Structures are given as C-alpha cells and as structure tokens.
Amino acid sequence: MKLNPPKKSTFWAAVIFAAAGMLSYAYHLITLYIFRAYQPHFQMIAFVLVSIGFVLLILGLTRKGL
C-alpha cells in the first residue's frame, strides 16, 4: 500500500481534534481526582474526538487529494 502525505489542512484538523480530545480527557481526570465529581460524558467526548482525529489522518494518508 502506498501512502500519500496528507494536505496541511487535513493534518492540522486531525491534530486539533486529537488535542481537543486530550483536553477533554484531562478535564475529566481533574474533575474526578481533584474535585471528586464523576462526569463520564467528558470521557466519551474525548474518545470520540480522538477517534475522529485518527480517522481523518488515516483518510488523509490513504486518499489522494484529501
């Protein structure tokens, strides 16, 4: 399989989604261990955002012109 380099916009969009997911998960951990409040929806949001970033990056690598 030959991979193509993704466009800069596709790469940075994937990085932004992944960073937003990591910030959401960090917020989940801070509220869980410091404030003792369990908010599971931030954990799910983080998983979805990182997954979107990963899929976007894979699509940028495998599709030409994306």
Side-chain angles (χ1 to χ4, degrees), residues 16-60:
I16 289 171
F17 274 111
M22 291 188 329
L23 287 174
S24 176
Y25 191 71
Y27 181 75
H28 164 72
L29 290 178
I30 289 169
T31 57
L32 180 63
Y33 291 114
I34 294 176
F35 300 121
R36 304 279 188 229
Y38 183 64
Q39 298 177 347
H41 57 279
F42 282 107
Q43 188 176 11
M44 292 183 292
I45 290 170
F47 176 75
V48 169
L49 286 173
V50 171
S51 298
I52 289 171
F54 182 72
V55 168
L56 188 60
L57 187 61
I58 293 299
L59 285 175

